[in-house]
Structures are given as structure tokens and as C-alpha cells.
Amino acid sequence: MKNSILVIGATGNVGRPLVEELRARGETIKVAPRTPQRYPGQPGVTAVYFDYENPATYAPALAGVDRVYAISVPTDSGVMDIHGLIPSLQQADLQHLVLVTGMPVIRSNGRLRHWEEVETPVVDSGIPYTLLRPGWFMQLFLEGFLFTMLQQQRRLCWTNGDVQICPIDARDIAAVAAVVLTQPGHAGQAYTLTGGEVLTLRDIAELLTQATGQPIPYANATVEELVRFIEEVGGFPGPKKGIHSIFSTTERGVFAETTPIVAQLTGRTPRTFVQFVQEHASIWRQ
């Protein structure tokens, strides 16, 4: 009988706490990092080799699995990593696929894209699915170009300090994913996930300053300056062609939406940004 959950991306910001959430529920888990030999041993967790670019790894990873968690982002080539896996998921007679995509992103031509390139093949596959659509991760301030900016420049720059976002802790995404993977009633649903508070970039700079005890001012920058910085340091969570769209999307308030899904599904309120920065303040002090 198949009764295990395959967690693809188990070493990521959502995957790590998701494994812990599932272990606490007594689930049998397979994790699929590219280097399973490096994955720390845990009771109830089996590490298997999996690589999106190597289809030969699909069937062994899916053996004995009835539910799958994955996160997908578009690539510069337009190919979505999850799409190549769909035939193998269909053959595995999967009971449930939980896929993390994202909130709407505005293309450079101004058209609104609801991740249809990623999601539509999944919806049309016949596999029972749930889509999780988070916006800004709080963890974006711990990695990538924003973290590099805070480290190197000791300030937070964006095109407009008054734009609003509703950041969510990746651990709250994991909590929702655990509920969806282990409880009935979520197939065919798409959940937009946010934190519980709306903040401006100026607010975030002030909260970082308060938590670290060090000045981290906000400063306006042009899109060109920010793009140049991102291209120099890397760390953008998506394809390069999406760099410009993230600024227009944020400016239009797409990420300022607040939804109650985290509290409704997990029974607990989302973590606040104050909690997040207090927990990680020592990292920004370095």
C-alpha cells in the first residue's frame, strides 16, 4: 500500500519546516534532494535521489508514494520543471499533488499573469491537486539580492518606500502545505497565502533597525539601478526576464493583499514580521 509523501525541495525554505510538520503528524516521508547522501538522517524520513533534469530518477523517487509536495518557478527558457514530471505522476496514480507557485506577476508589457504557464498543465493533468500561491517570503530578507543589499550597503532600497507588501514566513506556508497534504477537502483548490499584516518597505527598514540596533535606512533607487545591482550580485528568485516585472507588480499593490487562509487552515495566526526579525536579528548584525 502506498502511504508516503514525497517532498521535492526538502532543503528549501518551505521544504525543511514541511518535513518537520509532517514528521510531527507521524507521516512516512521521502525527501528528494540532489545529494541524498548529505541529507541528515531522521526517523520516518528516507532520502532518495531526484533530479528534474534526469527523468530516470522519477520512478524510483515516486515508488510507494501517494502524495507529492513540489515548488515550481518559471525558467528563462520558459520550461517549467514540474511539467516534465507530470506523466510520471499520472502513471504513479497519485492521490494528491500540492504545488507552490506564486501570486500574480505583471509582465513587462503590463499584462497580468496568474502563473498560468505553470499551473494550467497541472490542472489539466487529471491529478488531484492543490495550488499554494504565496507572495513575498519573509526569508527573502535572509538570502538573495535583498540580503546582499542589507549586508553590503547596510540599507534597504526599492523603487518606492511606500509600496505595500504582506510578507509571509515560509514556515507558515509549510504549515498550510502539511494540512493540505494530510487532511481531505482541498483537492482542486488554489489558496493565496499571505502574512497577517501589510507593511511598507520603509516599515520593514525601521523594523530591521529596531531589531538589530543598527541603522538600516530605506533609500529610493531607480529600476535601472536595482536591476544592475541584481545582475551583479545574483540572487533573484526567478528567471532574469522577470526582474523588471517584480518592481511593477509590487508598485501596483499586487502583494499588498491579505488573506485569512493561514489562520483558517492551521488554526493559528501567521507569524509577524516583528517576530521574524527578532528571531534572525543576529544574522543582519554580521
Side-chain angles (χ1 to χ4, degrees), residues 18-100:
L18 173 58
V19 170
E20 294 306 313
E21 292 271 356
L22 294 174
R23 288 185 64 219
R25 287 166 167 78
E27 295 287 340
T28 301
I29 308 158
K30 295 177 81 172
V31 294
R34 290 193 177 188
T35 53
Q37 66 274 15
R38 298 181 182 177
Y39 193 85
Q42 297 172 312
V45 180
T46 301
V48 296
Y49 177 53
F50 176 86
D51 186 346
Y52 276 119
E53 298 180 0
N54 184 359
T57 65
Y58 295 176
L62 290 169
V65 167
D66 60 3
R67 289 156 290 168
V68 170
Y69 163 86
I71 185 167
S72 185
V73 296
T75 66
D76 284 311
S77 66
V79 177
M80 315 307 164
D81 46 22
I82 192 68
H83 294 174
L85 184 61
I86 288 176
S88 295
L89 296 176
Q90 293 169 322
Q91 293 171 10
D93 193 26
L94 206 65
Q95 291 184 13
H96 201 173
L97 169 64
V98 175
L99 180 66
V100 178

Side-chain angles (χ1 to χ4, degrees), residues 17-286:
L18 173 58
V19 170
E20 294 306 313
E21 292 271 356
L22 294 174
R23 288 185 64 219
R25 287 166 167 78
E27 295 287 340
T28 301
I29 308 158
K30 295 177 81 172
V31 294
R34 290 193 177 188
T35 53
Q37 66 274 15
R38 298 181 182 177
Y39 193 85
Q42 297 172 312
V45 180
T46 301
V48 296
Y49 177 53
F50 176 86
D51 186 346
Y52 276 119
E53 298 180 0
N54 184 359
T57 65
Y58 295 176
L62 290 169
V65 167
D66 60 3
R67 289 156 290 168
V68 170
Y69 163 86
I71 185 167
S72 185
V73 296
T75 66
D76 284 311
S77 66
V79 177
M80 315 307 164
D81 46 22
I82 192 68
H83 294 174
L85 184 61
I86 288 176
S88 295
L89 296 176
Q90 293 169 322
Q91 293 171 10
D93 193 26
L94 206 65
Q95 291 184 13
H96 201 173
L97 169 64
V98 175
L99 180 66
V100 178
T101 58
M103 291 176 67
V105 174
I106 297 174
R107 293 189 177 122
S108 57
N109 62 9
R111 293 179 58 191
L112 197 63
R113 174 167 60 82
H114 290 265
W115 286 80
E116 70 269 16
E117 293 97 332
V118 177
E119 296 177 350
T120 299
V122 172
V123 172
D124 293 342
S125 69
I127 301 167
Y129 69 88
T130 302
L131 303 173
L132 304 182
R133 297 168 172 166
W136 277 59
F137 286 33
M138 292 183 188
Q139 280 72 12
L140 290 174
F141 295 94
L142 288 176
E143 60 186 26
F145 76 92
L146 286 174
F147 180 62
T148 302
M149 180 186 296
L150 294 172
Q151 274 195 320
Q152 292 184 358
Q153 301 184 358
R154 307 304 300 173
R155 62 178 183 171
L156 178 61
C157 298
W158 202 257
T159 56
N160 180 352
D162 296 319
V163 296
Q164 296 178 326
I165 62 173
C166 192
I168 182 171
D169 194 303
R171 292 169 292 184
D172 289 326
I173 302 171
V176 170
V179 169
V180 171
L181 283 163
T182 59
Q183 297 181 10
H186 303 286
Q189 299 297 312
Y191 297 126
T192 298
L193 304 180
T194 73
E197 57 188 346
V198 177
L199 299 169
T200 67
L201 273 297
R202 295 185 196 278
D203 293 333
I204 287 174
E206 179 59 30
L207 291 173
L208 288 166
T209 296
Q210 293 174 6
T212 61
Q214 299 175 357
I216 301 179
Y218 171 82
N220 277 337
T222 66
V223 171
E224 291 73 20
E225 289 170 337
L226 290 168
V227 169
R228 186 164 55 250
F229 177 77
I230 293 170
E231 290 176 340
E232 288 175 356
V233 304
F236 180 75
K240 293 180 181 178
K241 63 183 180 182
I243 292 178
H244 285 83
S245 67
I246 194 67
F247 298 113
S248 57
T249 301
T250 306
E251 186 71 28
R252 297 189 189 195
V254 171
F255 299 117
E257 176 185 5
T258 305
T259 69
I261 301 298
V262 171
Q264 288 177 351
L265 295 189
T266 69
R268 58 181 188 252
T269 57
R271 291 175 175 83
T272 66
F273 199 79
V274 168
Q275 293 172 318
F276 176 76
V277 296
Q278 289 176 344
E279 181 179 356
H280 299 288
S282 61
I283 297 176
W284 294 299
R285 290 194 192 104
Q286 297 175 4

